[in-house]
Amino acid sequence: MATITLDQVRKVYPGKVEAVKGISLDIADGDFIVLVGPSGCGKSTLLRMIAGLETISAGTVKIGDRVVNEIDPAERDIAMVFQNYALYPHMTVYENLSYGLRNRGMKRDEIDQRVKKAAAILEIGSFLDRKPRALSGGQRQRVAMGRAIVRSPKVFLFDEPLSNLDAKLRGQMRVEIKALQRSLGTTSVYVTHDQLEAMTLADTLVVMNGGVVEQIGSPLDVYERPASTFVASFIGAPPMNLLPLAAAGDGYRLPDGTLLPADGYPQGKAAILGFRPEDVVIGGTDAFSLDFHVVVAEPVGAESFLHGKAGGAGIIVRVHGRTEARPGDRIRIGVPAARLHIFGTDGKRIAHGHISARDRATETQAALT
Ligand SMILES: Nc1ncnc2c1ncn2[C@@H]1O[C@H](COP(=O)(O)OP(=O)(O)OP(=O)(O)O)[C@@H](O)[C@H]1O
Ligand SMILES: [Mg+2]
């Protein structure tokens, strides 16, 4: 087992594409780190630099106490699982699993022991004699995992290993990979652009965007306190609602002109108001209350999504269970103060649950009742 330490790691590809722009990261021994971000943000590049499959333009990568910048991939004591599995088509499953060990000159008995053990863990023992083409996608994926396990490496690296599987199998394999990593305790770095996969697998989530790290934290921490509007809309499905706020006297003005008096901050400055679809309270709250115009009602079984407009901006509301709401309905919605997020116009988080806002109509109603 090992720690991984990245210090100001950069990658500039030929043609001056700066794919990774100076990333520093401390990965603890046994930690399961997930690098998540949109396509092209540099996840694979960063992983491949840790693996030694890509040269490092600047900065250092350490595995344990050793700087590995100039060390061959084979000498780094890592095992990588790829999206396309990279199995040898002409070899049987047994040969695929044992190939790397034979290459290292390991004794036949020891190889056999390791292969059988990995096969038992992954439940692939019954098709050790088959060639990869005679396996399903999920079975091939297990063989690829097995090939990583037999080596007992210090570090596992995964690059979107589940993206070729259908949704159900992906869900199953996700649970298995997590359980396996827990039981082996091997430091792991896992790349995905799927935020749900990232949330469920990670001990530590690293959200990347445009070659830089936007936020590092536990999945729930990142979900509860996104550092930017980018993270707020990337982590969570459906994404966080974001409404632009113009400064208006001691409060704010929403795009449709609705005024929100603000007891919190920042006052006199444009900002962005955020709240999660599931934090919306039908009927309004003391802190915040707006008219919501339902455009589409989407029942998906255990929950329903209402798409529509509030304050002149597009909003999604998540309702537990079924909903009676129909397109064209107008519903009063609110959000508890502690569930409001405020971002600056630069997208950076500035406050959490500080704003206490009600529109004038509610104030008037409150005054009359
Ligand atoms: N060999 C290369 N030469 C030049 N540019 C490259 C090379 N490989 C990747 N890039 C560029 O570097 C950037 C990061 O690519 P990378 O593959 O790391 O992204 P990613 O986050 O893994 O994306 P995806 O989710 O699509 O796999 C992209 O702009 C990509 O076009
Ligand atoms: Mg990639």
Side-chain angles (χ1 to χ4, degrees):
M1 293 205 283
T3 57
I4 303 172
T5 315
L6 309 185
D7 187 22
Q8 286 299 317
V9 171
R10 281 182 73 217
K11 177 68 187 184
V12 185
Y13 282 113
K16 302 224 169 93
V17 180
E18 193 177 6
V20 173
K21 301 175 180 168
I23 289 185
S24 298
L25 206 56
D26 284 318
I27 303 175
D29 187 23
D31 208 3
F32 198 133
I33 290 264
V34 178
L35 307 179
V36 66
S39 185
C41 74
K43 308 178 293 290
S44 295
T45 302
L46 190 60
L47 194 75
R48 292 169 62 83
M49 284 193 284
I50 299 173
L53 300 173
E54 217 54 86
T55 56
I56 300 165
S57 307
T60 53
V61 174
K62 269 195 199 168
I63 298 178
D65 294 329
R66 184 169 67 142
V67 174
V68 296
N69 284 43
E70 305 299 331
I71 308 259
D72 239 37
E75 306 298 319
R76 294 190 185 195
D77 212 351
I78 48 145
M80 186 148 164
V81 181
F82 297 88
Q83 177 175 357
N84 61 8
Y85 318 135
L87 300 176
Y88 299 108
H90 58 285
M91 293 185 193
T92 64
V93 169
Y94 187 97
E95 287 162 348
N96 264 286
L97 292 173
S98 56
Y99 182 73
L101 304 181
R102 271 187 284 141
N103 260 358
R104 282 175 169 71
M106 194 180 278
K107 292 222 176 61
R108 191 186 286 245
D109 282 357
E110 161 113 44
I111 292 178
D112 196 55
Q113 249 180 29
R114 287 198 182 201
V115 169
K116 298 255 164 73
K117 189 172 163 206
I121 292 173
L122 291 161
E123 297 175 11
I124 51 177
S126 57
F127 39 80
L128 287 174
D129 296 330
R130 287 196 216 168
K131 300 263 174 71
R133 68 168 176 277
L135 301 176
S136 72
Q139 290 164 342
R140 283 178 210 178
Q141 212 286 333
R142 276 165 208 268
V143 177
M145 289 283 300
R147 210 171 42 176
I149 294 176
V150 289
R151 305 224 337 252
S152 307
K154 280 191 183 148
V155 173
F156 286 134
L157 303 176
F158 300 92
D159 195 351
E160 312 239 12
L162 304 183
S163 49
N164 286 344
L165 305 179
D166 65 47
K168 189 169 170 220
L169 196 53
R170 211 156 61 215
Q172 274 172 20
M173 286 305 296
R174 202 163 66 207
V175 176
E176 288 185 23
I177 288 182
K178 180 83 180 173
L180 189 65
Q181 195 271 345
R182 277 270 150 79
S183 70
L184 298 174
T186 309
T187 311
S188 301
V189 186
Y190 188 106
V191 161
T192 179
H193 61 266
D194 179 334
Q195 60 90 27
L196 179 66
E197 202 169 291
M199 289 286 288
T200 51
L201 281 174
D203 295 324
T204 306
L205 203 59
V206 177
V207 185
M208 289 178 61
N209 183 25
V212 299
V213 170
E214 286 263 337
Q215 189 167 6
I216 302 175
S218 74
L220 283 182
D221 207 39
V222 171
Y223 189 81
E224 297 285 345
R225 298 183 57 82
S228 63
T229 48
F230 172 82
V231 177
S233 40
F234 194 78
I235 300 293
M240 183 181 283
N241 294 304
L242 296 169
L243 287 76
L245 300 174
D250 61 349
Y252 298 111
R253 191 190 309 280
L254 285 167
D256 70 348
T258 307
L259 286 170
L260 296 174
D263 307 339
Y265 75 88
Q267 291 182 343
K269 254 187 162 172
I272 296 165
L273 174 68
F275 54 87
R276 296 253 176 226
E278 70 271 26
D279 288 332
V280 171
V281 178
I282 304 292
T285 62
D286 285 349
F288 180 90
S289 171
L290 273 182
D291 252 350
F292 173 59
H293 180 207
V294 181
V295 179
V296 173
E298 216 180 20
V300 288
E303 57 194 359
S304 305
F305 300 115
L306 306 177
H307 302 252
K309 281 202 134 188
I315 296 280
I316 302 175
V317 173
R318 185 182 207 156
V319 193
H320 198 68
R322 293 175 223 289
T323 175
E324 299 299 317
R326 293 283 170 271
D329 285 358
R330 277 180 191 282
I331 303 174
R332 203 73 184 150
I333 60 164
V335 182
R339 295 275 154 201
L340 292 169
H341 306 254
I342 312 289
F343 303 93
T345 46
D346 61 356
K348 300 277 175 253
R349 172 186 211 86
I350 46 183
H352 183 82
H354 276 266
I355 187 174
S356 169
R358 262 165 280 136
D359 72 19
R360 301 285 184 212
T362 319
E363 299 232 300
T364 321
Q365 275 171 13
L368 292 175
T369 51

